[in-house]
Amino acid sequence: MKHSTEPAALVRRLWRAAIDADEYTAAGIVHTALAEGVDEETLLLEVIAPVQEMVGVEWAADRISVAQEHAATAVNERIVASLAHRQGGGPRPAHRGRVTVSCVDGDWHAFPARLLAEVLSLRGWRVDYLGAQTPTPHMVAHLHLTNPDAVLLSGSIPTHLPAAHAAITACRAIGVPVLVGGRAFGPGGRWARRLGADRWAADARGAAAVLDAGVPRPVPATGRQAVDDLPHLADQEYTLVLQSRPRLVKHTLTELEDRFPALRGYGDEQRERTAEDLAHIVGFLATALYVDDADLFTTFLVWTADILQARHVPAHSLVAALDILADELHDFPRARRLTRLGASALGARPAASVLGPASESASGPESAPGAGSAPVPVPGAPS
């Protein structure tokens, strides 16, 4: 029986195989489609990437487990590798130039960067793919050795924006332009420009187009500080809130026990998960202070409330946590304002917006969260 090679049909079939952790069937679907004339870039961006998006959406809706998410992601990663190294494929000729593709330091979500690297390689670029959470000093050392035409920096989680800013500044300081992408940089790349990136791209094809158009090399500069790009950092609120995170989490957890006595009956694992959630809240609060944008914080809170509701956890506890944080942050006017805005956003939140069954959406929403025990963006987007 001959199956359709339309991307939507391939997505449905690959999804079933990936969620069943059936690597051999999944690989067969993709390689058969390749043999039947579907080009590799289409398979990467219109079949494999949407399936990976669905993995994140289904985890967010609590319809698949963390183990299923990990297994499906591993299947997708191995298929991408098999396409790159398929028998008879041979090395891809590089004639456009040389680029470095890397994830922001601390960001483990390498799948988008890997897809980007493969697409650029297909289009004739020599790609040095550095993978997940590359420490900025090591990336810069690599740039000194290779002198690429550009660095393409992928970020999935907004809390890594300060690290992204440091990487952007370091790369530009040695005259290498930086193109960034991924959900960490916000809708339309709003925080990419704020952090001094030379260019932003919404996806892998957009990144390829930017490179084709050419990105001028910046004039090397030394001594530039974060406050030069973000003058509001002079108030030190970001630094002080981030340094206070362990104390803020501990204090909030203790106060929550008084407001929600049921917390006192939590086991060690439940308390650990609650502390992790509070740490994420403070982390996103600090990052919103860094970029001076309330939307970063309020969007995260609304998403977190949806995730909690999908898991039958009362989301109103978030409002109580914000009230406690606001009281504790009485000496930090920007942070206190953000907690108030967060509580208002939660109060105005509509019914849970987690997507319906996977069959209703092939790719998921642009803001779809990803898989894991902690709230993080989906790793499937090819940006």
Side-chain angles (χ1 to χ4, degrees):
M1 176 181 175
K2 185 177 177 61
H3 293 282
S4 171
T5 57
E6 289 297 314
L10 292 171
V11 166
R12 289 192 293 270
R13 293 174 58 212
L14 182 58
W15 163 257
R16 289 193 293 269
I19 208 62
D20 287 339
D22 188 347
E23 177 184 335
Y24 297 100
T25 296
I29 291 167
V30 171
H31 284 270
T32 299
L34 185 68
E36 292 177 354
V38 182
D39 68 272
E40 191 169 336
E41 184 174 304
T42 296
L43 289 170
L44 290 168
L45 301 184
E46 298 178 33
V47 179
I48 299 172
V51 169
Q52 186 64 21
E53 290 254 7
M54 291 166 67
V55 171
V57 171
E58 291 301 284
W59 172 84
D62 201 28
R63 288 188 289 264
I64 64 173
S65 68
V66 172
Q68 286 177 300
E69 176 274 323
H70 284 188
T73 299
V75 167
N76 285 332
E77 288 173 340
R78 288 173 66 83
I79 292 173
V80 172
S82 73
L83 286 173
H85 302 290
R86 66 188 184 279
Q87 186 176 3
R92 296 164 178 168
H95 57 274
R96 297 279 183 94
R98 185 172 188 173
V99 295
T100 295
V101 173
S102 178
C103 293
V104 175
D105 191 0
D107 196 331
W108 284 97
H109 293 80
F111 199 82
R114 179 62 189 269
L115 290 178
L116 171 61
E118 294 303 323
V119 168
L120 295 181
S121 180
L122 286 169
R123 293 189 177 212
W125 291 90
R126 175 175 174 180
V127 180
D128 298 332
Y129 171 62
L130 305 186
Q133 68 139 22
T134 306
T136 295
H138 295 279
M139 180 177 65
V140 172
H142 178 78
L143 302 183
H144 279 296
L145 290 173
T146 59
N147 190 32
D149 296 285
V151 170
L152 293 97
L153 198 61
S154 175
S156 295
I157 306 177
T159 50
H160 295 135
L161 285 175
H165 190 194
I168 291 166
T169 302
C171 293
R172 299 188 82 254
I174 61 171
V176 180
V178 183
L179 167 62
V180 301
R183 287 185 176 85
F185 295 97
R190 62 194 291 177
W191 302 316
R193 290 181 285 272
R194 198 166 300 180
L195 301 183
D198 293 278
R199 297 287 189 276
W200 169 84
D203 53 33
R205 287 177 173 138
V210 169
L211 289 176
D212 287 346
V215 185
R217 287 186 176 272
V219 177
T222 58
R224 190 167 187 82
Q225 303 295 318
V227 73
D228 294 326
D229 296 319
L230 306 171
H232 56 270
L233 293 180
D235 65 12
Q236 293 291 301
E237 284 202 27
Y238 161 73
T239 301
L240 293 172
V241 168
L242 191 64
Q243 290 176 345
S244 302
R245 179 157 64 171
R247 178 184 61 80
L248 290 170
V249 170
K250 183 178 180 179
H251 174 78
T252 304
L253 187 58
T254 300
E255 290 293 316
L256 277 175
E257 288 181 350
D258 292 335
R259 302 192 187 196
F260 298 95
L263 265 66
R264 298 172 189 167
Y266 276 16
D268 290 343
E269 184 175 355
Q270 288 175 300
R271 289 183 63 84
E272 183 178 345
R273 293 290 174 264
T274 303
E276 286 177 355
D277 289 342
L278 292 173
H280 282 297
I281 290 172
V282 177
F284 272 81
L285 172 65
T287 307
L289 291 170
Y290 190 90
V291 297
D292 197 28
D293 194 326
D295 285 348
L296 187 152
F297 187 53
T298 57
T299 300
F300 166 75
L301 288 172
V302 170
W303 177 81
T304 300
D306 287 349
I307 297 301
L308 291 176
Q309 183 167 313
R311 285 152 177 76
H312 310 292
V313 177
H316 63 270
S317 60
L318 289 173
V319 177
L322 292 174
D323 288 342
I324 295 168
L325 282 172
D327 290 342
E328 192 68 8
L329 295 168
H330 51 82
D331 291 330
F332 303 97
R334 284 204 297 135
R336 190 178 175 89
R337 174 178 172 272
L338 286 175
T339 60
R340 298 304 188 199
L341 289 173
S344 297
L346 289 171
R349 167 179 161 266
S353 58
V354 175
L355 283 188
S359 60
E360 296 178 8
S361 173
S363 59
E366 287 189 354
S367 59
S373 60
V376 294
V378 67
S383 51

